[in-house]
Amino acid sequence: MRPAAGPQDAAAALAGVPADQRVAVVDSAFVGHVHALRLALTDPRFDACAVTGALSVQAGAREALDKAVATEGAHESGPYADRLAAAVEATGTAVQRPELGSLVAAVPADADERAAASAAVAAVDEEAVRLRSAVKSRDGFFTTFCISPYSRYIARWCARRGLTPNQVTTASLITALIAAGCAATGERWGYVAAGVLLIVSFVLDCTDGQLARYSLQYSTMGAWLDATFDRAKEYSFYAGLALGAARNGDDVWGLALGAMILMTCRHVVDFSFNEANHDATANTSPTAALSDRLDSVGWTVWVRRMIILPIGERWAMIAVLTAFTTPRIVFYALIAGCAFGALYTTAGRVLRSLTRTARRTDRAAQALADLADSGPIAELQARLLRGRAGSFGSVYAAAVGAALMTAAALYLPFGDPWLIAVAVAYAVTAGLAVAAPLKGALDWLIPPLFRAAEYVTVLALAARADVPGALPAAFGLIAAVAYHHYDTVYRIRGGTGAPPHWLVRTIGGHEGRVLLAAVLAAVLADRASDFPVALTALAVFVALVVLVESIRFWVSSGAPAVHDEGEPA
């Protein structure tokens, strides 16, 4: 901490701080809450952040700060930190200005203003505000009213004992894995214990985000852990339920796989729609206006959040049904609920897209292309058609290809050579779909169509093979591929772009994996018992390639320092 008598002294002090270190300028007359300063000075997610009387910058904005120090005039009025923040913004560098709500941050000009600011500080319970702001403003009914009222205090308890969000996230994963192990026993006591532990795991899952927001402990490792562990926990629990049912003679692996496919495809719909409209202009529609009007009626907000079965409601339902019913009933309820939620959200977004006038940016088109996960076959097709693909309806090509592929996988006999021909046609339509920039009104449907086609094809082939181990092997393969797709989503959301092209090409892209699955089925038609081995080998290969590169990225300095805000509502 270095005091400065004026702009010249401040400039000299700033020059003495290494360029790779965070630096802050705080007006000596600052009056306000400690948490207001904390928000401005310690949040690692932003290169530059400011409140009245305080500015902080990280290495990424030091050049902009140096220019601001050199050009900012000492004769100008107002607090020096505020003038610097304005000058930094003038260089084109974004300066984050956190919403303070009832928190106070001020630089009084005289004694009367100082007295008023001090009284405003004393009138606000800073700790209560900090606890409230630790909870997400937009969450599901179950999470908001049944978990957050006490999980925020668990987060504060963890903060005061030096625990980190990553430690809480890891504890949540371990708890969920123990729950899956209990479910795998197939005994009633195991199902009851699994249900209880799943709720405990979800409480910890809420706590880690609240702890991160309470103490502003955002990290690259935390971004990776939080982005992946939710899926690992849920899929592990599905596998535990399937193993427990198998111990009692009930094969529900197909149902477990169907639930995982539905959930993943629904999330891809969410992600694709949001990315397509992230920075769209002239983005209005009567459907969106109706939704905004409904938001003014409080109870409709909660109903609409509940019926899509967000993570809180979903885990609560799974936990209760696991404790009191059977795995088959759990999956029936899960598939029904997820199917309804997927239909509801997808239908609403299609209506919005058809009734709005929106101009999508190149960034949005690139995000959709990355989410499409096209491999070398589709890329070659798209390259050959580039410049002549405008007449092809991208989403219609994807829809036709996906429909043909899933229908063939569901109805052709296992190993039928015609399935290879259909897979080749699917790869061709996949290339047609991505040959032109994805800026159409419904082009955000292309990634979920591809996900559904790939996942359902693998499920159908494993089911029609009708040999022991095929469905569990397919479960492992789809889980590995789904991890890759979620990893792509979180990289795009973090602003760092999709995984490298070599990784997508190495694991074949969606059309390459579909074609490979069809070829394996045809080659092993007379030896169907070897099909699970082939699927397992493919799953291990995909998992190793994806995980190694993903871990390398998320622990690197280039990973975004963000904390996942959970599933879209």
Side-chain angles (χ1 to χ4, degrees):
M1 190 170 180
R2 306 178 189 181
Q8 291 184 342
D9 289 346
L14 290 170
V17 180
D20 61 345
Q21 293 184 11
R22 189 178 191 120
V23 62
V25 177
V26 182
D27 197 290
S28 59
F30 177 87
V31 175
H33 290 101
V34 173
H35 193 55
L37 274 181
R38 187 183 290 115
L39 289 171
L41 306 185
T42 65
D43 195 324
R45 296 174 296 173
F46 310 106
D47 285 337
C49 196
V51 296
T52 301
L55 166 71
S56 72
V57 300
Q58 299 194 80
R62 279 300 299 275
E63 183 179 353
L65 178 63
D66 292 340
K67 291 181 180 178
V69 169
T71 59
E72 198 282 322
H75 64 279
E76 296 180 7
S77 61
Y80 182 61
D82 293 359
R83 303 199 312 260
L84 278 184
V88 168
E89 282 185 313
T91 67
T93 300
V95 177
Q96 172 69 15
R97 299 180 186 276
E99 295 184 10
L100 298 181
S102 57
L103 295 177
V104 177
V107 180
D110 53 40
D112 290 340
E113 288 186 7
R114 175 170 292 276
S118 298
V121 170
V124 175
D125 185 343
E126 179 178 8
E127 181 61 20
V129 173
R130 190 179 177 189
L131 274 174
R132 284 199 304 272
S133 62
V135 178
K136 285 194 297 186
S137 58
R138 183 178 175 86
D139 225 330
F141 181 89
F142 179 78
T143 304
T144 299
F145 295 104
C146 300
I147 303 296
S148 293
Y150 58 88
S151 62
R152 70 185 74 179
Y153 295 102
I154 300 176
R156 182 173 65 181
W157 183 89
C158 293
R160 291 176 175 176
R161 282 152 184 81
L163 297 177
T164 67
N166 294 350
Q167 292 170 327
V168 178
T169 302
T170 303
S172 176
L173 174 66
I174 293 172
T175 304
L177 293 178
I178 295 173
C182 291
T185 64
E187 302 288 340
R188 179 50 54 192
W189 69 265
Y191 290 145
V192 173
V196 172
L197 289 172
L198 193 63
I199 293 296
V200 173
S201 176
F202 182 65
V203 171
L204 293 174
D205 184 57
C206 295
T207 300
D208 67 356
Q210 292 164 0
L211 174 58
R213 287 182 286 272
Y214 180 85
S215 56
L216 299 179
Q217 295 184 71
Y218 304 99
S219 67
T220 54
M221 177 63 76
W224 177 66
L225 294 178
D226 209 43
T228 57
F229 277 14
D230 279 352
R231 303 287 78 78
K233 289 180 285 190
E234 194 161 3
Y235 296 166
S236 296
F237 197 80
Y238 292 174
L241 285 174
L243 289 170
R247 289 180 177 273
N248 293 314
D250 190 12
D251 186 355
V252 296
W253 276 106
L255 294 175
L257 194 47
M260 183 167 69
I261 290 172
L262 261 175
M263 185 54 53
T264 304
C265 289
R266 196 192 85 176
H267 286 159
V268 175
V269 168
D270 295 335
F271 297 139
S272 295
F273 181 81
N274 290 337
E275 287 301 324
N277 295 284
H278 180 269
D279 47 8
T281 57
N283 203 5
T284 59
S285 77
T287 310
L290 174 61
S291 178
D292 292 339
R293 285 197 298 270
L294 287 174
D295 284 345
S296 64
V297 184
W299 63 271
T300 67
V301 175
W302 295 116
V303 170
R304 285 182 291 141
R305 290 186 191 179
M306 291 173 66
I307 62 176
I308 64 172
L309 209 63
I311 189 170
E313 279 76 0
R314 189 168 70 251
W315 281 33
M317 182 188 75
I318 294 172
V320 172
L321 292 179
T322 297
F324 295 106
T325 64
T326 65
R328 181 171 289 273
I329 293 176
V330 173
F331 286 124
Y332 281 153
L334 189 58
I335 289 173
C338 289
F340 178 82
L343 288 173
Y344 173 80
T345 54
T346 304
R349 286 165 179 171
V350 167
L351 284 174
R352 289 190 183 195
S353 299
L354 292 175
T355 57
R356 71 172 23 141
T357 301
R359 292 186 295 276
R360 294 200 170 92
T361 62
D362 292 338
R363 176 202 170 279
Q366 184 59 52
L368 291 180
D370 292 334
L371 289 173
D373 193 35
S374 300
I377 301 175
E379 282 185 343
L380 175 61
Q381 179 78 7
R383 194 175 298 115
L384 293 174
L385 288 169
R386 193 145 292 156
R388 304 194 305 273
S391 60
F392 298 104
S394 296
V395 70
Y396 302 113
V400 169
L404 286 175
M405 192 67 243
T406 53
L410 288 168
Y411 294 108
L412 288 178
F414 178 78
D416 192 321
W418 277 105
L419 189 65
I420 298 178
V422 176
V424 171
Y426 171 72
V428 171
T429 58
L432 290 174
V434 297
L438 302 181
K439 295 185 177 181
L442 295 177
D443 283 356
W444 57 270
L445 283 170
I446 291 175
L449 284 170
F450 288 161
R451 297 297 80 75
E454 178 181 1
Y455 297 163
V456 173
T457 295
V458 174
L459 168 59
L461 290 177
R464 295 184 76 79
D466 197 23
V467 293
L471 284 169
F475 187 95
L477 174 58
I478 292 179
V481 174
Y483 174 85
H484 163 60
H485 291 144
Y486 279 107
D487 184 52
T488 300
V489 165
Y490 286 111
R491 293 197 200 200
I492 294 173
R493 286 171 61 172
T496 56
H501 283 300
W502 69 259
L503 182 140
V504 177
R505 295 189 184 105
T506 300
I507 60 176
H510 68 95
E511 81 287 355
R513 291 187 295 270
V514 167
L515 181 58
L516 179 58
V519 170
L520 288 174
V523 170
L524 300 174
D526 297 327
R527 294 179 289 123
S529 59
D530 292 337
F531 189 60
V533 178
L535 288 182
T536 301
L538 181 58
V540 170
F541 173 76
V542 171
L544 284 176
V545 172
V546 169
L547 279 173
V548 168
E549 204 287 325
S550 176
I551 293 172
R552 180 210 61 77
F553 169 79
W554 284 105
V555 301
S556 71
S557 59
V562 299
H563 194 87
D564 177 35
E565 291 299 311
E567 296 176 8

